[in-house]
mmCIF file of all heavy atoms in Angstrom:
data_model
loop_
_atom_site.group_PDB
_atom_site.id
_atom_site.type_symbol
_atom_site.label_atom_id
_atom_site.label_comp_id
_atom_site.label_asym_id
_atom_site.label_seq_id
_atom_site.Cartn_x
_atom_site.Cartn_y
_atom_site.Cartn_z
ATOM 1 N N GLU A 67 -8.343 -95.848 -287.711
ATOM 2 C CA GLU A 67 -8.776 -94.667 -288.433
ATOM 3 C C GLU A 67 -8.936 -93.443 -287.534
ATOM 4 O O GLU A 67 -9.084 -92.328 -288.010
ATOM 5 C CB GLU A 67 -10.078 -94.922 -289.204
ATOM 6 C CG GLU A 67 -11.199 -95.369 -288.342
ATOM 7 C CD GLU A 67 -11.850 -96.635 -288.806
ATOM 8 O OE1 GLU A 67 -11.248 -97.690 -288.695
ATOM 9 O OE2 GLU A 67 -12.972 -96.535 -289.311
ATOM 10 N N VAL A 68 -8.839 -93.635 -286.219
ATOM 11 C CA VAL A 68 -8.959 -92.548 -285.272
ATOM 12 C C VAL A 68 -7.640 -92.236 -284.585
ATOM 13 O O VAL A 68 -7.317 -91.074 -284.348
ATOM 14 C CB VAL A 68 -10.020 -92.861 -284.200
ATOM 15 C CG1 VAL A 68 -10.130 -91.766 -283.150
ATOM 16 C CG2 VAL A 68 -11.392 -93.118 -284.842
ATOM 17 N N PHE A 69 -6.840 -93.245 -284.290
ATOM 18 C CA PHE A 69 -5.622 -93.064 -283.507
ATOM 19 C C PHE A 69 -4.366 -93.344 -284.337
ATOM 20 O O PHE A 69 -4.395 -94.143 -285.247
ATOM 21 C CB PHE A 69 -5.609 -93.993 -282.298
ATOM 22 C CG PHE A 69 -6.734 -93.726 -281.343
ATOM 23 C CD1 PHE A 69 -7.912 -94.482 -281.382
ATOM 24 C CD2 PHE A 69 -6.646 -92.710 -280.412
ATOM 25 C CE1 PHE A 69 -8.952 -94.239 -280.528
ATOM 26 C CE2 PHE A 69 -7.684 -92.443 -279.537
ATOM 27 C CZ PHE A 69 -8.847 -93.206 -279.575
ATOM 28 N N ASP A 70 -3.292 -92.691 -283.941
ATOM 29 C CA ASP A 70 -1.969 -92.914 -284.518
ATOM 30 C C ASP A 70 -0.961 -92.663 -283.396
ATOM 31 O O ASP A 70 -1.308 -92.105 -282.355
ATOM 32 C CB ASP A 70 -1.729 -91.953 -285.678
ATOM 33 C CG ASP A 70 -0.610 -92.435 -286.598
ATOM 34 O OD1 ASP A 70 -0.022 -93.494 -286.327
ATOM 35 O OD2 ASP A 70 -0.342 -91.734 -287.590
ATOM 36 N N VAL A 71 0.262 -93.058 -283.594
ATOM 37 C CA VAL A 71 1.341 -92.781 -282.628
ATOM 38 C C VAL A 71 2.331 -91.877 -283.312
ATOM 39 O O VAL A 71 2.768 -92.131 -284.430
ATOM 40 C CB VAL A 71 2.003 -94.094 -282.147
ATOM 41 C CG1 VAL A 71 3.173 -93.802 -281.225
ATOM 42 C CG2 VAL A 71 0.987 -94.975 -281.451
ATOM 43 N N ASP A 72 2.674 -90.773 -282.631
ATOM 44 C CA ASP A 72 3.587 -89.802 -283.226
ATOM 45 C C ASP A 72 5.055 -90.163 -282.995
ATOM 46 O O ASP A 72 5.356 -91.195 -282.412
ATOM 47 C CB ASP A 72 3.259 -88.377 -282.739
ATOM 48 C CG ASP A 72 3.495 -88.163 -281.253
ATOM 49 O OD1 ASP A 72 4.157 -88.985 -280.628
ATOM 50 O OD2 ASP A 72 2.992 -87.158 -280.747
ATOM 51 N N SER A 73 5.947 -89.303 -283.426
ATOM 52 C CA SER A 73 7.376 -89.564 -283.314
ATOM 53 C C SER A 73 7.864 -89.590 -281.859
ATOM 54 O O SER A 73 8.936 -90.123 -281.573
ATOM 55 C CB SER A 73 8.164 -88.524 -284.108
ATOM 56 O OG SER A 73 7.903 -87.232 -283.601
ATOM 57 N N ALA A 74 7.066 -89.075 -280.940
ATOM 58 C CA ALA A 74 7.416 -89.117 -279.510
ATOM 59 C C ALA A 74 6.812 -90.357 -278.853
ATOM 60 O O ALA A 74 6.799 -90.452 -277.613
ATOM 61 C CB ALA A 74 6.939 -87.843 -278.823
ATOM 62 N N ASP A 75 6.297 -91.289 -279.674
ATOM 63 C CA ASP A 75 5.659 -92.509 -279.149
ATOM 64 C C ASP A 75 4.464 -92.240 -278.265
ATOM 65 O O ASP A 75 4.235 -92.929 -277.266
ATOM 66 C CB ASP A 75 6.650 -93.416 -278.436
ATOM 67 C CG ASP A 75 7.624 -94.089 -279.394
ATOM 68 O OD1 ASP A 75 7.234 -94.306 -280.555
ATOM 69 O OD2 ASP A 75 8.756 -94.377 -278.972
ATOM 70 N N GLN A 76 3.682 -91.214 -278.616
ATOM 71 C CA GLN A 76 2.450 -90.919 -277.903
ATOM 72 C C GLN A 76 1.289 -90.922 -278.897
ATOM 73 O O GLN A 76 1.437 -90.578 -280.057
ATOM 74 C CB GLN A 76 2.517 -89.576 -277.195
ATOM 75 C CG GLN A 76 3.494 -89.583 -276.041
ATOM 76 C CD GLN A 76 3.377 -88.343 -275.216
ATOM 77 O OE1 GLN A 76 3.315 -87.245 -275.734
ATOM 78 N NE2 GLN A 76 3.321 -88.528 -273.904
ATOM 79 N N ALA A 77 0.139 -91.334 -278.381
ATOM 80 C CA ALA A 77 -1.040 -91.407 -279.243
ATOM 81 C C ALA A 77 -1.526 -90.016 -279.623
ATOM 82 O O ALA A 77 -1.480 -89.084 -278.838
ATOM 83 C CB ALA A 77 -2.151 -92.169 -278.519
ATOM 84 N N THR A 78 -1.976 -89.943 -280.847
ATOM 85 C CA THR A 78 -2.694 -88.753 -281.334
ATOM 86 C C THR A 78 -4.030 -89.273 -281.842
ATOM 87 O O THR A 78 -4.193 -90.482 -282.063
ATOM 88 C CB THR A 78 -1.926 -88.059 -282.490
ATOM 89 O OG1 THR A 78 -1.773 -88.991 -283.569
ATOM 90 C CG2 THR A 78 -0.567 -87.593 -282.026
ATOM 91 N N CYS A 79 -4.995 -88.370 -282.023
ATOM 92 C CA CYS A 79 -6.306 -88.829 -282.456
ATOM 93 C C CYS A 79 -6.998 -87.805 -283.304
ATOM 94 O O CYS A 79 -6.694 -86.628 -283.258
ATOM 95 C CB CYS A 79 -7.164 -89.198 -281.253
ATOM 96 S SG CYS A 79 -7.622 -87.784 -280.207
ATOM 97 N N VAL A 80 -7.992 -88.287 -284.050
ATOM 98 C CA VAL A 80 -8.926 -87.435 -284.757
ATOM 99 C C VAL A 80 -9.921 -87.027 -283.676
ATOM 100 O O VAL A 80 -10.587 -87.877 -283.086
ATOM 101 C CB VAL A 80 -9.647 -88.226 -285.871
ATOM 102 C CG1 VAL A 80 -10.728 -87.394 -286.487
ATOM 103 C CG2 VAL A 80 -8.641 -88.714 -286.887
#
Side-chain angles (χ1 to χ4, degrees):
E67 58 232 72
V68 177
F69 298 98
D70 199 359
V71 176
D72 65 15
S73 60
D75 288 332
Q76 291 191 314
T78 60
C79 67
V80 174

